[in-house]
């Protein structure tokens, strides 16, 4: 229970090293398309209308004017007047016609150029506006990714006071992160208090029985009368009982000390089937029933071999101690699932558990129903499985008894790194 912060660090480390894939950044493209459509469609319609009007205006023929000039020229010739002014008017009219024809050819090019320039201006404006609008969203996305990894200390840069709605949103995000961080700290404190309460409750439960027996033994050592000596047989029985209870307290103290000082895991490649065979052979001699390792495939994983020996040793020990002499053998099964995770099952034919036990339930009671037990076998097994990024689950067996299932990743060093 003293290592709760380390549990929380391991739980945070269990997050996958690679975050979710970034979302497709389509906002800028959509904004560009909207601005281009919103600007170019009216511009194109206006250009078509202007071209139509100009073509209609410029399509006016000068033939009637030339006919009038011809009549005037004949009249001047008949009267004997010089046609200089008329010739100048004809020259100006010819120049006007050439200008009209050139203008008719250049109007479409001009309108197309204006449209291209407008499109470039709109595109640049859309890109700049898109950057301005998406920069706060990208910052917000970075903060959300950090929060999804469990890092609630990240704060987004926001000017004070906020100048627009997006900056206000970033400020609210920071406020939410601070509230979540405060709530997590409060929850951590509440969990630590609850953990110490469980420890105090478990210690009181475990210490009550030996202390009661020691008190009774001391009462038996007290003489009935001041002038009489205590009975030697009675004295020896009381001393033996005191010694037995002191030994029980020492074993409990040693178990708690071992739980508190479990070494940090040292990961290496482990052949799991030979390791399970060693554990089964270790408890075969003291078990009232056979301990059988079911045949199956060879499985290797990267883990701490000493920790796995403690983990499976505690489970096999519990299974053998729960099995009466006439119970079926204790079976240990090993297989690798399709997702690469390793499953180890320890089944016994004892009285069994009433319901499924997993997670915090395995460390909540810390009491034992076996003589001399410290109640720390399952908490130690749960702690080792947790450090390996795995799970431990106890459930009633299909034919009675208890089935303990351990699920481990193929590479625990990557999970807890």
């Amino acid at each position: 229970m003293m290592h709760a912060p380390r549990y929380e660090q391991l739980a945070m480390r269990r997050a996958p090293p690679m975050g979710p894939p970034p979302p497709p950044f389509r906002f800028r493209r959509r904004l560009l398309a909207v601005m281009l459509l919103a600007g170019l469609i009216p511009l194109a319609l206006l250009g078509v209308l202007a071209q139509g009007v100009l073509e209609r205006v410029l399509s006016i023929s000068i033939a009637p004017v030339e006919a009038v000039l011809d009549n005037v020229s004949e009249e001047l010739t008949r009267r004997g007047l010089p046609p200089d002014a008329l010739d100048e008017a004809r020259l100006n009219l010819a120049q006007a016609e050439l200008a009209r024809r050139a203008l008719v050819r250049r109007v479409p090019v001009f309108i197309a150029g204006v449209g291209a320039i407008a499109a470039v201006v709109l595109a640049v404006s859309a890109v700049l506006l898109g950057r301005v609008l998406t920069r706060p969203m990208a910052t917000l996305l970075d903060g959300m990714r950090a929060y999804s990894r469990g890092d609630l200390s990240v704060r987004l840069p926001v000017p004070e006071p906020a100048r627009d709605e997006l900056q206000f949103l970033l400020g609210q995000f920071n406020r939410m992160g601070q509230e979540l961080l405060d709530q997590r700290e409060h929850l951590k404190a509440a969990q630590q208090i609850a953990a110490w309460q469980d420890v105090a409750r478990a210690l009181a439960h475990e210490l009550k029985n030996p202390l009661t027996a020691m008190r009774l033994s001391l009462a038996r050592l007290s003489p009935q009368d001041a002038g009489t000596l205590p009975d030697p047989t009675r004295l020896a029985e009381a001393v033996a009982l005191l010694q037995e209870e002191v030994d029980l307290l020492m074993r409990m103290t040693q178990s708690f000390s071992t739980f508190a000082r479990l070494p940090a895991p040292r990961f290496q490649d482990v052949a799991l089937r030979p390791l399970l065979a060693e554990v089964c052979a270790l408890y075969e001699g003291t078990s009232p029933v056979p301990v059988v390792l079911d045949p199956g495939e060879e499985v290797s994983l990267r883990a701490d071999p000493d920790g796995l020996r403690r983990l499976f040793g505690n489970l096999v020990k519990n299974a053998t101690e729960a099995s009466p002499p006439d119970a079926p053998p204790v079976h240990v099964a090993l297989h690798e699932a399709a997702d690469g995770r390793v499953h180890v099952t320890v089944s016994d034919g004892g009285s069994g558990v009433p319901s499924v036990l997993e997670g915090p339930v395995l460390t909540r009671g810390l009491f034992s129903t076996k003589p001399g037990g410290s109640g720390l076998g399952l908490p130690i097994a749960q702690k080792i499985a947790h450090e390996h990024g795995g799970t431990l689950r106890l459930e009633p067996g299909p034919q009675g008894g208890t089935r303990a299932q351990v699920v481990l990743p193929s590479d625990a060093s990557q999970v807890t790194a």
Side-chain angles (χ1 to χ4, degrees), residues 135-136 138-140 142-143 154-160 162-163 166-171 173-174:
R135 187 178 296 116
T139 304
L140 182 62
D142 293 338
V154 173
R155 295 295 176 266
L156 306 180
V158 184
E160 292 292 344
R163 294 190 295 267
L166 292 177
Q167 292 181 359
F168 177 76
L169 178 62
L170 297 180
F173 182 85
N174 289 340

Side-chain angles (χ1 to χ4, degrees), residues 13-314:
R13 291 174 180 174
R14 190 170 299 177
M18 295 299 294
F25 292 98
R26 299 175 179 172
F27 178 76
R28 294 181 185 177
R29 286 179 287 177
R30 292 177 178 174
L31 181 62
L32 176 61
V34 170
M35 291 191 67
L36 288 177
L37 291 176
L40 291 182
I41 288 179
L43 184 62
L45 295 177
L46 182 61
V48 171
L49 180 61
Q51 183 177 359
V53 172
L54 287 176
E55 287 181 351
R56 190 170 182 179
V57 171
L58 297 175
S59 64
I60 298 175
S61 177
I62 64 172
V65 179
E66 291 179 349
V68 172
L69 290 177
D70 291 338
N71 295 332
V72 172
S73 177
E74 293 175 358
E75 183 67 22
L76 291 176
T77 301
R78 188 171 56 251
R79 293 183 181 182
L81 297 177
D84 296 339
L86 184 61
D87 292 339
E88 185 178 357
R90 287 180 182 275
L91 180 60
N92 293 335
L93 185 61
Q95 291 177 350
E97 176 64 17
L98 292 176
R100 183 190 70 82
R101 293 179 181 179
L103 190 59
V104 169
R105 289 194 304 268
R106 294 175 181 176
V107 163
V109 178
F110 174 77
I111 294 178
V114 171
I117 295 174
V120 172
V121 172
L122 289 173
V124 173
S125 302
V127 171
L128 296 178
L129 182 60
R131 289 181 179 179
V132 172
L133 294 178
T134 57
R135 187 178 296 116
M137 303 306 296
T139 304
L140 182 62
L141 181 60
D142 293 338
M144 294 176 65
R145 286 180 178 172
Y147 283 13
S148 67
R149 295 191 301 266
D151 186 6
L152 299 179
S153 62
V154 173
R155 295 295 176 266
L156 306 180
V158 184
E160 292 292 344
R163 294 190 295 267
D164 53 39
E165 293 82 352
L166 292 177
Q167 292 181 359
F168 177 76
L169 178 62
L170 297 180
Q172 292 299 109
F173 182 85
N174 289 340
R175 180 180 177 184
M176 178 191 68
Q178 185 62 43
E179 291 178 354
L180 289 176
L181 186 61
D182 294 341
Q183 291 177 5
R184 187 167 69 177
E185 294 299 326
H186 293 162
L187 180 60
K188 186 189 300 184
Q191 289 176 342
Q192 290 176 349
I193 293 174
W196 281 112
Q197 288 176 342
D198 287 341
V199 170
R201 191 182 302 110
L203 287 175
H205 176 85
E206 292 296 327
L207 294 177
K208 181 178 181 180
N209 292 335
L211 290 178
T212 301
M214 295 172 69
R215 182 177 181 180
L216 293 176
S217 299
L218 290 175
R220 294 182 64 182
L221 289 176
S222 301
Q224 300 292 334
D225 298 324
T228 61
L229 295 176
D231 183 14
T233 303
R234 184 177 180 181
L235 180 62
E237 292 177 352
V239 172
L241 181 58
L242 282 174
Q243 184 63 41
E244 180 180 351
E245 298 301 328
V246 170
D247 291 341
L248 174 59
L249 291 176
M250 290 298 295
R251 287 195 299 271
M252 291 174 55
T253 304
Q254 183 63 32
S255 297
F256 278 100
S257 177
T258 301
F259 178 74
R261 293 182 301 166
L262 283 176
R266 301 175 61 182
F267 298 104
Q268 62 187 59
D269 294 332
V270 178
L272 191 54
R273 183 166 291 278
L275 186 146
L276 292 176
E278 294 177 9
V279 173
C280 293
L282 178 64
Y283 291 95
E284 176 75 27
T286 58
S287 173
V289 297
V291 181
V292 180
L293 176 60
D294 295 344
E297 57 185 331
E298 296 290 339
V299 176
S300 297
L301 73 164
R302 189 163 184 82
D304 177 26
D306 294 334
L308 293 185
R309 288 188 181 93
R310 291 190 188 94
L311 167 61
F312 297 119
N314 280 329

